[in-house]
Amino acid sequence: MPADCGPGHGETGMVVRLGRRGFLRGALLAASGAGAGVFGTTVLPHWCGWDQPPLGGGYASAADTPAAVQHAAVSVRYYVQTTEPVVALTFDDGPAPQWTPMVLDTLDAAGVPATFFMVGSSLAANADVVRGRLARHEVGNHTWAHEDLATMDLGQVRASLSRTHDVIGEVTGRAPTLLRPPFGHLGGSTMLAANAMGYDVVLWSYQMRERIYRDDPDGQVRDIVGTLRPGAIVLAHDVGDERRLVALRRLGDMIAGLKARGFRFATVSQLVAGAAGPYPSGHAGAGVPPPA
């Protein structure tokens, strides 16, 4: 092994050889401030020239870009741990004139809120589809063009998120506070950008399974109504190919079935906040009615 491929002076000498997935996880932990004090050990990715990471876009640590770090940590959330029968419906990739109005009509008829993770370019092109219809709902950032943020450097991520952030503010009158990375892919640059912009990252604990229930829409309803647990964050899409309609056309039945089980509905921020109490002034959820 070349001399410059070992641990640096003063390191423990422990080297863990990581694949791409393992390295991205290590970069994520580094960017989110996790260290030996939290996890009990220090993992050093291995490369020749130990201070030169082998990946381009997704790598970024707080030590490399201290000016980007505005907060001590960034929340990455899959669900909320609660015994309260509350769930959050989320819809990705819109808006678009084909299906977004259908989703909004169904939510309005049921009187329930949801969270829409919108693509900036789609919102800019289809602002009239949602303008004036989002009062009870929350809107989060889903990048400008549905890019895989884990392949992009910090500047590229910030540019995509900032452009979308501005459009959401212009259309809704509220600044977003949540980010959902496309495909659920995370890299260190994503975490640093979220930190600098004051975002929390939202993934999901359950999703519509349109491929499985393509020819069984009743099965999709039974799956959601019978499987969801308190605190779930559910992934759906209001843009995409025809299979999405298996879930969207039966969304009202899912909501009715969950209500029959005693469930209420909240935006993601309401769910995180315990679904109770007002938001602070200026928060994206301020003025949004309580969970239905």
Side-chain angles (χ1 to χ4, degrees):
M1 181 177 68
D4 64 345
C5 289
H9 295 298
E11 300 294 343
T12 63
M14 181 182 73
V15 175
V16 178
R17 298 176 186 272
L18 301 174
R20 175 179 174 84
R21 184 181 298 272
F23 173 74
L24 284 176
R25 180 176 181 274
L28 171 60
L29 294 179
S32 59
V38 178
F39 293 91
T41 186
T42 301
V43 178
L44 302 176
H46 177 266
W47 51 71
C48 288
W50 68 275
D51 60 344
Q52 298 297 317
L55 298 178
Y59 172 79
S61 74
D64 291 334
T65 340
V69 180
Q70 305 296 320
H71 307 88
V74 174
S75 167
V76 180
R77 189 174 300 277
Y78 295 88
Y79 65 95
V80 171
Q81 192 166 5
T82 180
T83 58
E84 291 294 315
V86 184
V87 297
L89 300 175
T90 69
F91 298 88
D92 284 13
D93 298 353
Q98 303 97 312
W99 302 338
T100 303
M102 177 199 312
V103 172
L104 288 169
D105 288 347
T106 301
L107 295 172
D108 286 346
V112 303
T115 301
F116 290 84
F117 288 97
M118 292 188 176
V119 173
S121 58
S122 297
L123 179 57
N126 299 292
D128 289 342
V129 171
V130 297
R131 200 184 304 275
R133 302 203 62 183
L134 298 171
R136 69 159 51 88
H137 306 299
E138 183 171 27
V139 177
N141 195 321
H142 201 45
T143 75
W144 181 255
H146 206 268
E147 305 99 325
D148 186 346
L149 297 181
T151 68
M152 298 163 64
D153 65 28
L154 179 58
Q156 293 170 323
V157 175
R158 283 290 302 270
S160 175
L161 297 184
S162 295
R163 195 175 181 188
T164 305
H165 184 98
D166 291 344
V167 170
I168 291 173
E170 291 169 6
V171 174
T172 69
R174 292 174 282 167
T177 61
L178 304 178
L179 163 65
R180 174 168 284 166
F183 319 108
H185 289 181
L186 284 172
S189 53
T190 308
M191 299 303 293
L192 277 184
N195 183 299
M197 298 180 70
Y199 282 147
D200 288 326
V201 177
V202 178
L203 301 177
W204 57 90
S205 60
Y206 210 81
Q207 67 186 74
M208 303 292 182
R209 301 182 180 183
E210 298 99 332
R211 290 184 185 275
I212 294 176
Y213 296 109
R214 181 184 59 185
D215 300 317
D216 183 15
D218 288 339
Q220 175 68 96
V221 175
R222 289 192 301 269
D223 180 53
I224 292 293
V225 173
T227 305
L228 290 194
R229 297 294 180 262
I233 297 174
V234 184
L235 171 65
H237 296 81
D238 58 329
V239 172
D241 61 41
E242 290 294 316
R243 76 174 186 274
R244 304 295 189 198
L245 293 172
V246 172
L248 298 184
R249 285 174 174 158
R250 301 300 298 276
L251 180 61
D253 294 329
M254 296 178 204
I255 292 172
L258 288 167
K259 284 186 172 182
R261 286 186 59 198
F263 276 94
R264 306 188 307 276
F265 297 85
T267 67
V268 170
S269 287
Q270 288 170 336
L271 187 66
V272 172
Y279 290 100
S281 176
H283 190 280
V288 177

